[in-house]
């Protein structure tokens, strides 16, 4: 039954009151009853004499007393509270009629079956047309439910203010609706600037993967584990490549009868440094293993020149697309003995047309046509590593750049490491990468130098091109 005086306690129409004309429809009391019964909180109201005038269905659910049983009773004594507590509780409730604002209290109410429920109440005065208190309303809920609600609100506020990870609420159109401070910093802009913008305006890479994950969550629900995504963040200084460990939650409206997706909660942490550390450690382990395997395989080669190509082949895996070994023509001179520009002879190279082992070449002893200033010649002259790259040149210009240096046309990046043995420069090993790989870095140069030491030892044992003993 509706929780108001119309439930058996409304006054009848007086003889002088005209009946309403027109079709019968919901009046104000019907609307009020519907609103009260649809509330998530329990609500009761008292008139100025402390008589219960309203009692909604949530109050009935919590305490078990129906509206018929509650409306019309004076106070809570003897039915909704214990007699011993009635005076104190009713005094605290009725004091709200003469106090400004709302009064919040906690006390125990008695259920119809004799149990006790600890509730938190909010009470406020209801004023009549003359502005004087005409009664009060009292909204209440079980304390544990109220605490759960307050915890949820507090958690939401903390996530969007103080969380040490990014929190973004994405709407059904995959646009940010709410962003916390951490996420705004990670995306390189302000919190309000992000709202409503497509993700493609914020990220240069990884947008497709992120949008695919959000779409999947909207359709299927949250994934069972976090996902690590590499993205490129657009900043005034250029692109920043970051790795975000992300978790996703589908958000549904608690007010709808059927689950209606409101969007996705996206939580992430920047784990770039940790992932880079893991990658570097894995790369170091792999390269150390390759050097070890190459040394064992080269030890079984009778021909020292063949041992040099074994070291080259093992080094190439995961490191470069092509490689060549050029040796100084003639007997190597000690440092400072010759001021003449060196001539280099190709002694080994990997196939440029497809995969395969390195092949020994240069049996005729003809020098390679390297132009002045070639990276390999610079490497020999400096007795140190040299890196070269075509940079951001167009594909046609990059091919011409590679051809001019006597390298395969798909070369974009090069690294030359000097071959040194017994205090002399024997030649240079050049590693080449195509456009699909990144430019060589300092850590790559260190690895190339380790490989060059082993190749140089084998070539020193093999002797100069065209035969002869090593000096």
């Amino acid at each position: 039954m509706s929780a108001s005086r119309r439930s058996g306690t409304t006054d009848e129409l007086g003889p002088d009151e005209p009946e309403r004309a027109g079709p019968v429809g919901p009046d104000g009391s019907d609307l009020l009853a519907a609103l009260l019964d649809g509330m998530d909180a329990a609500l009761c109201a008292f008139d100025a004499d402390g008589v219960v005038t309203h009692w909604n269905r949530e109050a009935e659910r919590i305490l078990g007393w129906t509206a018929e049983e509650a409306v019309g009773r004076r106070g809570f004594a003897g039915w909704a509270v214990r007699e011993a507590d009635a005076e104190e509780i009713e005094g605290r409730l009725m004091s709200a009629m003469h106090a400004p604002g709302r009064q919040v209290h906690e006390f125990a109410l008695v259920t119809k079956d004799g149990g006790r429920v600890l509730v938190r109440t909010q009470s406020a005065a209801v004023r009549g047309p003359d502005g004087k208190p005409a009664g009060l309303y009292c909204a209440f809920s079980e304390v544990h439910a109220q605490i759960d609600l307050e915890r949820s609100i507090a958690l939401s506020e903390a996530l969007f203010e103080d969380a040490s990870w990014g929190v973004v609420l994405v709407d059904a159109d995959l646009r940010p609706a709410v962003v916390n401070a951490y996420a705004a910093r990670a995306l390189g802009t302000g919190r309000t600037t992000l709202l409503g913008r497509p993700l493609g305006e914020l990220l240069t890479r990884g947008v497709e993967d992120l949008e695919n994950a959000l779409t999947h969550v909207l359709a299927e629900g949250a994934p069972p584990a976090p996902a690590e995504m590499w993205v490129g963040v657009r900043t005034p200084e250029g692109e920043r490549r970051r790795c975000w460990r992300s978790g996703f939650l589908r958000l549904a409206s608690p007010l709808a009868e059927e689950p209606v997706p409101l969007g996705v909660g996206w939580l992430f942490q920047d784990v770039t440094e940790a992932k880079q550390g893991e990658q570097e450690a894995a790369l170091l382990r792999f390269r150390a293993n390759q050097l070890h395997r190459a040394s064992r395989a080269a030890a079984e080669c009778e021909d020292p020149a063949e041992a040099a190509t074994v070291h080259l082949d093992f080094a190439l895996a995961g490191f470069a697309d092509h490689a060549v070994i050029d040796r100084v023509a003639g007997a190597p001179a000690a440092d400072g003995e010759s001021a003449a520009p060196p001539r280099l002879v190709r002694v080994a190279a990997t196939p440029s047309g497809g995969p395969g082992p390195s092949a020994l070449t240069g049996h005729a002893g003809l020098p390679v046509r390297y132009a002045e200033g070639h990276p390999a010649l610079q490497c020999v002259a400096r007795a140190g590593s040299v890196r070269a790259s075509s940079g951001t040149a167009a594909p046609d210009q990059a091919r011409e750049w590679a051809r001019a240096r006597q390298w395969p046309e798909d070369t974009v990046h090069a690294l030359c490491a000097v071959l040194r043995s017994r205090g002399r420069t024997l030649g240079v090993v050049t590693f080449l990468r195509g456009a699909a790989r990144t430019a060589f870095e300092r850590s790559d140069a260190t690895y190339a130098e380790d490989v060059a030491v082993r190749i140089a030892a084998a070539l020193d044992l093999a002797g100069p091109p065209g035969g002869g003993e090593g000096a």
Side-chain angles (χ1 to χ4, degrees), residues 346-364:
R346 180 69 44 82
V347 295
T350 58
S352 59
S358 305
L360 292 170
T361 61
H363 301 293

Side-chain angles (χ1 to χ4, degrees), residues 194-267:
L194 293 170
L195 304 185
R197 294 175 60 185
L199 295 172
E201 293 184 8
L202 309 172
L203 305 176
T204 57
R205 298 187 191 181
V207 179
E208 295 82 4
D209 292 338
L210 179 56
E211 289 183 342
N212 179 64
L214 295 172
T215 302
H216 173 80
V217 173
L218 281 172
E220 304 292 336
E228 291 177 352
M229 297 183 176
W230 283 94
V231 299
V233 181
R234 187 177 281 112
T235 67
E237 296 78 23
E239 180 187 277
R240 285 189 307 147
R241 193 161 179 263
R242 313 302 295 170
C243 181
W244 291 340
R245 180 173 291 137
S246 302
F248 303 93
L249 299 169
R250 181 166 63 177
L251 305 179
S253 172
L255 304 179
E257 293 184 4
E258 297 181 1
V260 177
L262 293 178
V264 176
W266 170 32
L267 292 82

Side-chain angles (χ1 to χ4, degrees), residues 117-138:
V117 178
L118 184 62
V119 298
R120 179 173 295 174
T121 66
Q122 294 187 39
S123 305
V126 178
R127 303 192 179 278
D130 56 358
K132 295 181 179 180
L136 65 91
Y137 76 84
C138 173

Side-chain angles (χ1 to χ4, degrees), residues 359-379:
L360 292 170
T361 61
H363 301 293
L366 298 176
V368 185
R369 295 180 297 105
Y370 285 152
E372 184 179 355
H374 191 280
L377 297 178
Q378 295 181 37
C379 180

